[in-house]
């Protein structure tokens, strides 16, 4: 009783970090990491330190908010894969932004498999993450997301989303981007065009395909079923699509892709089979991966601001973790059309347009 009286009369801030370390049975460094929002401490240890600090009345210097023993300072990042360079670029910006705010990031991939997404969601709940950035949502399914919502774990959609469960979203205007890309291809006079996109259960892939097709139709060009291919969002998917398209007696004269990696796979297939780009077939991508726009490849593509999108997604998640709300917001980031050589533009003209 006497000890309890002394603790309750102690002014906040007079308890040292060393006292917390002794009471928690950990190093002073571990306490410092936790109180300064840094990584390197296991979630269970972090919770233990915060609970002990709260119990004995420790308050970090210059902080007005009490420590929250329920926070793990860990978020989840769920991506379709890490083969397509778009996703590691998202991840890097999110990891950097999270580190600045004192959060660690647990990264998981689904390989665009619905059952795997469900398992990942359950795992994130069991790990007691504080929130999730999700770029692997299935457009017509929200079962895994309901697992997160039931556990009161906030999430933010990045690039694609489910149409059946509301949530904050960060992405680009996929329809507008795809429209501008198709209009550029049509301006070259192409009328025999094929489109290669990612899985249609991705809201982003479907929006791009629909805009490609509707824009071409508005200009009197019909893109039929055998000219629309949905495949994996990587170079292997592009190679398989190219094999199908060029096995025909009437291969297309232009291929508009929903990702840079798919376009690169088509370019690889073309080189191996003596198909000239853009003389025999024009090829365009979508994503704006730096190496695809290099002088070596010169891909015409849509540029997404990957770093901005990742940082904005984490910022949106951070706000929701700190102040839960029943309303949701969407942030549409600006895209840009990069003109390379693969569409048929002259190098000098391409360089001029890319600088605009």
């Amino acid at each position: 009783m006497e000890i309890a009286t002394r603790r309750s009369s102690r002014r906040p801030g007079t308890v040292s970090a060393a006292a917390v370390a002794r009471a928690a049975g950990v190093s002073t460094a571990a306490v410092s990491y936790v109180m300064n929002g840094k990584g390197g401490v296991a979630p269970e240890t972090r919770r233990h330190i915060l609970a002990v600090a709260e119990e004995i009345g420790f308050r970090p210097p210059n902080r007005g908010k009490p420590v929250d023993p329920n926070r793990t300072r860990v978020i989840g990042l769920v991506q379709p894969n890490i083969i397509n360079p778009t996703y590691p670029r998202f991840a890097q910006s999110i990891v950097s932004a999270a580190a600045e705010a004192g959060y660690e990031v647990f990264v998981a991939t689904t390989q665009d498999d619905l059952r795997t997404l469900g398992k990942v969601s359950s795992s994130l709940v069991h790990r007691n993450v504080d929130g999730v950035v999700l770029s692997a949502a299935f457009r017509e399914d929200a079962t895994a997301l309901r697992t997160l919502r039931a556990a009161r774990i906030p999430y933010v959609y990045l690039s694609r989303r489910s149409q059946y469960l509301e949530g904050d979203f960060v992405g680009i205007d996929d329809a507008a981007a795809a429209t501008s890309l198709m209009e550029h291809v049509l301006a070259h006079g192409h009328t025999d065009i094929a489109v290669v996109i990612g899985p249609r259960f991705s809201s982003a892939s479907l929006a791009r395909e629909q805009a490609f097709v509707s824009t071409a139709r508005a200009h009197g060009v019909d893109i039929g079923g055998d000219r629309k291919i949905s495949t994996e969002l990587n170079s292997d998917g592009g190679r398989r699509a190219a094999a199908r398209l060029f096995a025909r007696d009437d291969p297309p004269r232009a291929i508009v892709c929903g990702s840079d990696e798919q376009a690169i796979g088509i370019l690889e297939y073309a080189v191996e089979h003596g198909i000239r780009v853009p003389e025999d077939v024009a090829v365009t991508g979508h994503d704006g991966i730096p190496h695809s726009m290099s002088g070596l490849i010169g891909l015409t593509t849509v540029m997404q601001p990957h770093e901005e999108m990742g940082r904005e997604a984490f910022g949106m998640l951070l706000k929701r973790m700190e102040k839960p709300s029943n309303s949701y917001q969407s942030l549409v980031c600006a895209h840009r059309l990069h003109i390379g050589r693969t569409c048929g533009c002259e190098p000098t003209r391409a360089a001029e347009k890319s600088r605009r």
Side-chain angles (χ1 to χ4, degrees):
M1 181 67 70
E2 183 180 353
I3 294 176
T5 302
R6 275 203 296 267
R7 283 181 179 171
S8 62
S9 64
R10 185 175 286 161
R11 291 182 296 107
T14 60
V15 178
S16 69
V20 176
R22 288 193 298 271
V26 299
S27 68
T28 304
V31 174
S32 176
Y33 288 160
V34 171
M35 296 307 166
N36 287 292
K38 296 182 179 179
V41 180
E44 295 80 3
T45 304
R46 185 183 300 276
R47 286 193 294 270
H48 175 59
I49 291 172
L50 291 173
V52 171
E54 183 72 10
E55 179 185 351
I56 68 175
F58 176 79
R59 294 292 181 272
N62 302 321
R63 291 195 181 187
K65 297 180 179 180
V67 290
D68 183 353
N70 295 317
R71 284 283 186 93
T72 62
R73 309 292 292 188
V74 178
I75 68 163
L77 171 59
V78 185
Q79 309 226 73
N81 61 69
I82 54 174
I83 297 175
N84 186 324
T86 294
Y87 300 118
R89 288 173 66 79
F90 282 153
Q92 184 57 57
S93 61
I94 292 169
V95 168
S96 297
E100 291 173 6
Y103 281 81
E104 297 178 73
V105 181
F106 177 83
V107 182
T109 61
T110 66
Q111 306 308 317
D112 270 330
D113 180 77
L114 186 59
R115 288 174 297 180
T116 301
L117 178 58
K119 292 177 182 177
V120 167
S121 297
S122 296
S123 177
L124 292 174
V125 170
H126 292 149
R127 289 175 181 271
N128 198 29
V129 298
D130 294 332
V132 177
V133 175
L134 186 70
S135 61
F138 284 70
R139 181 175 56 87
E140 294 186 344
D141 190 276
T143 304
L145 300 176
R146 290 191 177 94
T147 299
L148 298 177
R149 182 161 289 185
R152 299 184 181 278
I153 296 177
Y155 57 85
V156 172
Y157 293 122
L158 175 59
S159 183
R160 66 192 201 187
R161 52 187 161 185
S162 168
Q163 67 186 47
Y164 293 123
L165 200 61
E166 286 186 294
D168 296 317
F169 171 78
V170 176
I172 65 169
D173 187 334
D174 289 293
T179 296
S180 63
L181 186 61
M182 179 58 78
E183 286 177 340
H184 181 77
V185 172
L186 292 165
H188 280 277
H190 292 295
T191 57
D192 191 352
I193 303 172
V195 298
V196 176
I197 54 101
R200 293 186 177 98
F201 53 69
S202 159
S203 61
S205 293
L206 183 64
R208 293 172 191 180
E209 181 186 44
Q210 290 175 337
F212 287 153
V213 174
S214 63
T215 302
R217 184 180 299 117
H219 287 76
V221 176
D222 183 50
I223 301 178
D226 58 348
R227 287 288 203 260
K228 296 186 294 184
I229 297 178
S230 172
T231 186
E232 296 90 343
L233 285 165
N234 53 44
S235 59
D236 286 342
R239 292 170 70 92
R240 282 190 283 274
R244 287 176 55 185
L245 292 169
F246 289 110
R248 298 171 54 92
D249 294 332
D250 57 340
R253 295 301 304 275
I255 304 176
V256 181
C257 298
S259 83
D260 282 3
E261 280 294 287
Q262 291 174 328
I264 288 172
I266 291 170
L267 295 176
E268 291 171 348
Y269 182 94
V271 169
E272 293 172 2
H273 293 80
I275 301 168
R276 299 171 303 164
V277 177
E279 293 84 359
D280 298 327
V281 62
V283 179
T284 64
H286 199 299
D287 284 335
I289 299 168
H291 72 260
S292 69
M293 299 183 295
S294 68
L296 180 63
I297 298 176
L299 185 67
T300 293
T301 185
V302 169
M303 296 178 63
Q304 295 190 94
H306 300 110
E307 182 176 352
E308 176 189 355
M309 291 167 68
R311 284 187 168 272
E312 292 289 353
F314 175 76
M316 200 175 284
L317 180 64
L318 185 61
K319 290 179 182 177
R320 185 157 292 280
M321 291 188 297
E322 294 179 344
K323 190 176 181 180
S325 170
N326 292 325
S327 61
Y328 302 98
Q329 59 179 319
S330 293
L331 176 63
V332 178
C333 299
H335 65 272
R336 185 164 69 88
L337 189 61
H338 172 82
I339 307 301
R341 300 186 304 272
T342 59
C343 62
C345 283
E346 294 294 332
T348 53
R349 180 186 168 202
E352 289 172 359
K353 285 193 174 184
S354 292
R355 284 196 293 267
R356 292 177 186 174

